[in-house]
Amino acid sequence: MASYRSKTSSYITVPVFLAAFLGIGVIGLLAVSSSKRPNLKYGVSCEMVNVVNEFPHDPEAFTQGLLYVENDTLFESTGIYGRSSVRKVALQTGKVEHLHKMDNSFFGEGLTLLGERLFQVTWLQDTGFIYDRNNLSQLGKFTNPMEDGWGLATDGKDLFGSDGSSTLYQIDPQTFEVISKQVVTYNGQEVQFLNELEFVNGEVWANVYGVDCIARISPKDGKVLGWILLQNLRAELLTAGNQGIDVLNGIAWDGKQDRIFVTGKLWPKLFEIKPYPIEKTEGIIEKLCLPETLQFGSS
Ligand SMILES: *[C@@H]1O[C@H](CO)[C@@H](O)[C@H](O)[C@H]1NC(C)=O
Ligand SMILES: *[C@@H]1O[C@H](CO)[C@@H](O)[C@H](O)[C@H]1NC(C)=O
């Protein structure tokens, strides 16, 4: 069900979209290379993305957690009271192969897999859940030590979490105590509203609530190493008539094949993306990725 989209069309449509919809005017975005990572010697990197593949995604899924396991299989956590769930999803078809419906009193949030167990946090409550990855049966609960439950990820050893603030938490998966906390900053400015998280090549990638941006964060000191701009995905969905889509939310990484997947709440598609470096123009990150205030629905 995947379709290939040419690089040429992305190169043309993305800057046009940015200029037209965000009123930036001439932004002079320049593709340096479509295969190489940017050279960090010159500071924080900035990337845009080519869509390599598109897969169907349940348009009713209010995506709050996303991760790739193997064999073209994803795990996903969804929110909304009465509709919250943990699911095993086939990448190619978007088919939900297994679904655990949560109790109506919980709003599902970030999800991660550590060993054989899935860990999930919930919104506005300090209850977290642990599930068996093989059948999604609930194995236990834990107390989320963060202020709230938004994103969850793992480096294979500890849990990393976000609660909608600028803090990235490192959490012990046995005791659920906070091991360390980093304030995420870009050029000395705090990056608020950190949402869904994923470990990618030793970095923590976080999409920022309400904007189409991913911050690539150093888990050591919380510094933003780079930004990925994804405005072209929303533009494509809106152009195709999907007016009901909510925010970008959900990053998954297939480490073996180095594939990156993203989706959003109520998005009918899941995109495989390939970032490519661009030259960062003055003020573009502040404008696109660092909202000063937000009106909250739910994280
Ligand atoms: C993935 O596929 C392999 C080979 O078919 C199989 O042995 C393995 O159990 C599968 N893993 C999962 C998680 O389904
Ligand atoms: C789920 O799978 C585990 C093995 O991974 C098994 O021990 C457990 O009994 C299963 N639970 C249910 C409800 O089937």
Side-chain angles (χ1 to χ4, degrees):
M1 299 299 289
S3 71
Y4 181 77
R5 323 208 84 239
S6 80
K7 284 179 180 175
T8 328
S9 75
S10 304
Y11 276 74
I12 294 163
T13 57
V14 169
V16 168
F17 162 73
L18 285 174
F21 286 77
L22 299 160
I24 290 167
V26 181
I27 45 178
L29 294 168
L30 179 68
V32 177
S33 152
S34 59
S35 56
K36 279 189 215 141
R37 290 270 160 187
N39 189 340
L40 291 177
K41 193 166 70 180
Y42 300 107
V44 177
S45 72
C46 188
E47 294 165 284
M48 285 168 77
V49 299
N50 284 314
V51 174
V52 182
N53 267 307
E54 296 183 359
F55 304 100
H57 177 245
D58 178 1
E60 303 285 309
F62 203 75
T63 307
Q64 299 287 14
L66 189 72
L67 61 118
Y68 179 89
V69 260
E70 54 189 346
N71 295 1
D72 276 3
T73 304
L74 301 155
F75 283 109
E76 182 172 1
S77 166
T78 67
I80 304 286
Y81 294 109
R83 278 167 54 189
S84 292
S85 68
V86 179
R87 324 148 158 224
K88 187 177 178 187
V89 178
L91 169 70
Q92 297 289 339
T93 60
K95 189 168 165 276
V96 179
E97 294 183 331
H98 206 118
L99 185 140
H100 165 84
K101 188 186 176 302
M102 297 174 71
D103 185 274
N104 288 350
S105 60
F106 289 103
F107 193 113
E109 284 281 344
L111 182 77
T112 196
L113 177 72
L114 184 52
E116 295 298 302
R117 303 188 302 167
L118 289 159
F119 295 77
Q120 181 198 37
V121 288
T122 60
W123 189 48
L124 302 179
Q125 291 176 30
D126 61 11
T127 308
F129 295 100
I130 305 170
Y131 306 94
D132 185 312
R133 69 174 278 179
N134 296 306
N135 48 28
L136 303 185
S137 65
Q138 195 183 306
L139 296 175
K141 293 183 187 179
F142 63 92
T143 301
N144 172 10
M146 302 184 285
E147 295 294 315
D148 193 2
W150 283 41
L152 216 50
T154 182
D155 60 356
K157 183 169 166 283
D158 296 321
L159 301 175
F160 286 75
S162 66
D163 61 2
S165 68
S166 56
T167 302
L168 178 68
Y169 297 78
Q170 184 176 359
I171 300 165
D172 185 308
Q174 307 293 334
T175 64
F176 300 98
E177 275 163 18
V178 174
I179 299 168
S180 74
K181 279 198 243 185
Q182 305 291 343
V183 174
V184 175
T185 57
Y186 166 66
N187 279 353
Q189 188 181 342
E190 285 188 32
V191 179
Q192 300 281 347
F193 316 114
L194 299 173
N195 202 0
E196 218 272 336
L197 305 176
E198 183 74 28
F199 251 90
V200 180
N201 270 329
E203 300 172 0
V204 176
W205 288 20
N207 55 250
V208 177
Y209 181 84
V211 291
D212 295 317
C213 299
I214 291 174
R216 294 172 44 199
I217 302 162
S218 162
K220 290 188 198 82
D221 58 12
K223 287 215 167 60
V224 173
L225 304 167
W227 288 98
I228 303 173
L229 307 178
L230 302 146
Q231 283 76 11
N232 56 320
L233 306 184
R234 173 176 307 279
E236 174 181 325
L237 291 169
L238 290 177
T239 302
N242 301 293
Q243 304 304 320
I245 58 168
D246 204 290
V247 296
L248 165 84
N249 206 32
I251 309 166
W253 184 51
D254 169 9
K256 275 196 193 121
Q257 294 184 59
D258 196 19
R259 293 187 292 175
I260 300 157
F261 306 101
V262 295
T263 191
K265 300 175 186 179
L266 312 179
W267 285 23
K269 282 181 181 172
L270 182 138
F271 296 95
E272 182 188 344
I273 55 165
K274 280 260 183 283
Y276 62 90
I278 59 166
E279 274 180 22
K280 186 158 36 64
T281 50
E282 184 72 30
I284 190 171
I285 297 305
E286 287 74 7
K287 182 149 196 157
L288 296 180
C289 304
L290 296 173
E292 296 205 340
T293 55
L294 281 178
Q295 299 200 326
F296 283 98
S298 61
S299 61

